[in-house]
Amino acid sequence: MTSLSPDTPCSCDCFVSLPPASEIPAVIFAKNSDRPRDEVQEVVFVPAGTHSPGSRLQCTYIEVEQVSKTHAVILSRPSWLWGAEMGANECGVCIGNEAVWTKEPVGEGEALLGMDLLRLALERGSSAQEALHVITGLLERYGQGGSCREDPTSFCYHNTFLLADRTEAWVLETAGRLWAAQRIQEGARNISNQLSIGTDISAEHPELRTHAQAQGWWGGQGTFDFAQVFSLTQQPVRMEAAKARFRAGRELLQQQQGGITAEVMMGILRNKESGICMDSGGFRTTASMVSILPRDPTLPCVHFLTATPDPSRSVFKPFVFGAGVAQAPQVLSPTFGAQDPVRILPRFQTQVDRRHSLYRGHQTALGLMESEQDRGQQLRQQQRDLEQDGLEAVRGLLTGEWAPEPQELGGLFQAFVEKESQAYA
């Protein structure tokens, strides 16, 4: 089992708001992905597909059986792996995952990463509940495991997930192949690198309680509190810090009850005081996402993605599934084929430059913000103006004031990526 050093990167924060907590009749989803500080996260569009019977699918480390049809997905992912930290599909399902450590030992054998499970669930699930069943089914069959960072020193963890669609959300928390899930039908909820499901369990692995009893973690009688039973008795330093972030996130949501919007969620993701906007030691918030999932099925779901680190100095750019959607090349990292360090055994013995062009431009902009006050302020204002343009466009789209052609709507994200790239040029 891999031990956790005090500086081990293991922080993420996911949020969801459902009416009546949301200001509008919509589910609002948000996530900060906190990863090793130099890791590049790309935004990848994968179109819907049909697949031959019996075909196999290569994930980060292992192959799984492919299904006959897969949904179109938009993914924000560390560019060295197959899965994703967060994303959405064309059915209006959003998922974010988080690292967690429990009493159940973490194996270092290669299996499915939590990020692989997330992408598989988006490609195969047409609702949040269906996506949850995809994850638990794959977990039972293939297990979870393998190093979760691009480094020769193995770093492994189990996963929690926040899944949302237009009507509801689910929290799914795992310990090896075991799991518990909680259904959220109203109000606001957040998760932060710890078990948070107590006695309010909506669904669970059939052997969850018998396993806990066999291990001596639960007496078998009375109340069964999943977080209490499966959480580590001695929490690592970073896990204790996650408790503070969880409480701060919950308070920030409570302060905005009834008025939560995409902009409010962006503000929470940018909150540095709480540690939710992370920049500490060897890791930071490397990418962020906020989604609006309207209850009205005739309205499109909108997904804002940064594709760059530090949301407090990044632009949330709107993406909408549509006829004209294509990959934005500026947010796609270079590929290295068979020569990729993730493909050569032993893995991760060398490093490659995975920076995409928007990431490079953003790095230059961050440097100017820190070294040249006037130019830095000008760039930050350009970022704010561009993001505001995107929010206004989405507001018009959801109120019916703006009715673009499908081709224009599908190219919305690409258009904003190009404008941001031009600001950094």
Side-chain angles (χ1 to χ4, degrees), residues 243-322:
K243 288 182 181 179
R245 288 199 335 275
F246 175 74
R247 287 193 297 268
R250 185 175 57 194
E251 289 169 8
L252 289 166
L253 289 172
Q254 287 173 347
Q255 289 167 13
Q256 300 286 343
Q257 283 284 342
I260 297 175
T261 62
E263 295 97 311
V264 167
M265 285 296 199
M266 291 172 189
I268 292 174
L269 297 185
R270 286 171 166 146
N271 189 294
K272 288 185 177 289
E273 185 182 354
S274 63
I276 290 169
C277 183
M278 178 66 63
D279 192 351
S280 174
F283 62 108
R284 64 176 171 181
T285 300
T286 56
S288 305
M289 172 179 166
V290 173
S291 295
I292 304 171
L293 315 175
R295 285 279 165 90
D296 184 347
T298 66
L299 294 175
C301 296
V302 183
H303 314 284
F304 294 88
L305 302 112
T306 61
T308 54
D310 187 355
S312 71
R313 297 184 291 177
S314 285
V315 179
F316 284 92
K317 299 167 285 292
F319 173 93
V320 181
F321 286 96

Side-chain angles (χ1 to χ4, degrees), residues 171-425:
V171 175
L172 170 64
E173 300 183 338
T174 74
R177 281 182 162 85
L178 303 173
W179 56 272
Q182 181 184 38
R183 190 180 196 177
I184 314 296
Q185 294 181 291
E186 63 178 20
R189 182 74 153 84
N190 62 309
I191 59 173
S192 296
N193 299 111
Q194 61 192 291
L195 299 181
S196 62
I197 298 174
T199 59
D200 187 7
I201 301 172
S202 307
E204 64 187 71
H205 189 285
E207 298 171 13
L208 183 70
R209 302 188 191 210
T210 54
H211 179 80
Q213 191 172 0
Q215 295 295 317
W217 302 336
W218 180 55
Q221 298 294 322
T223 303
F224 181 82
D225 185 310
F226 175 68
Q228 192 174 71
V229 170
F230 276 85
S231 291
L232 289 166
T233 308
Q234 286 289 105
Q235 295 281 1
V237 174
R238 285 283 180 201
M239 295 286 279
E240 288 296 333
K243 288 182 181 179
R245 288 199 335 275
F246 175 74
R247 287 193 297 268
R250 185 175 57 194
E251 289 169 8
L252 289 166
L253 289 172
Q254 287 173 347
Q255 289 167 13
Q256 300 286 343
Q257 283 284 342
I260 297 175
T261 62
E263 295 97 311
V264 167
M265 285 296 199
M266 291 172 189
I268 292 174
L269 297 185
R270 286 171 166 146
N271 189 294
K272 288 185 177 289
E273 185 182 354
S274 63
I276 290 169
C277 183
M278 178 66 63
D279 192 351
S280 174
F283 62 108
R284 64 176 171 181
T285 300
T286 56
S288 305
M289 172 179 166
V290 173
S291 295
I292 304 171
L293 315 175
R295 285 279 165 90
D296 184 347
T298 66
L299 294 175
C301 296
V302 183
H303 314 284
F304 294 88
L305 302 112
T306 61
T308 54
D310 187 355
S312 71
R313 297 184 291 177
S314 285
V315 179
F316 284 92
K317 299 167 285 292
F319 173 93
V320 181
F321 286 96
V325 176
Q327 175 66 49
Q330 300 93 332
V331 293
L332 193 64
S333 293
T335 55
F336 301 91
Q339 300 308 307
D340 196 305
V342 72
R343 292 276 156 253
I344 300 171
L345 298 177
R347 304 190 200 275
F348 310 125
Q349 300 303 300
T350 59
Q351 291 187 329
V352 291
D353 187 352
R354 300 189 189 275
R355 292 175 299 168
H356 50 71
S357 65
L358 184 66
Y359 186 98
R360 289 173 181 271
H362 184 260
Q363 276 191 311
T364 302
L366 289 185
L368 288 170
M369 288 178 196
E370 291 166 3
S371 63
E372 298 183 25
Q373 186 175 5
D374 290 346
R375 180 68 179 125
Q377 287 179 348
Q378 183 185 5
L379 279 168
R380 187 67 195 100
Q381 189 58 51
Q382 286 179 286
Q383 287 182 328
R384 284 192 285 261
D385 291 345
L386 183 58
E387 183 173 286
Q388 197 57 42
D389 288 346
L391 287 165
E392 288 297 330
V394 168
R395 208 169 283 122
L397 180 66
L398 297 180
T399 58
E401 296 171 15
W402 179 49
E405 294 295 322
Q407 203 74 16
E408 183 182 2
L409 192 59
L412 190 62
F413 182 73
Q414 171 72 58
F416 275 88
V417 168
E418 288 175 358
K419 289 176 183 177
E420 186 180 1
S421 298
Q422 289 164 7
Y424 302 151

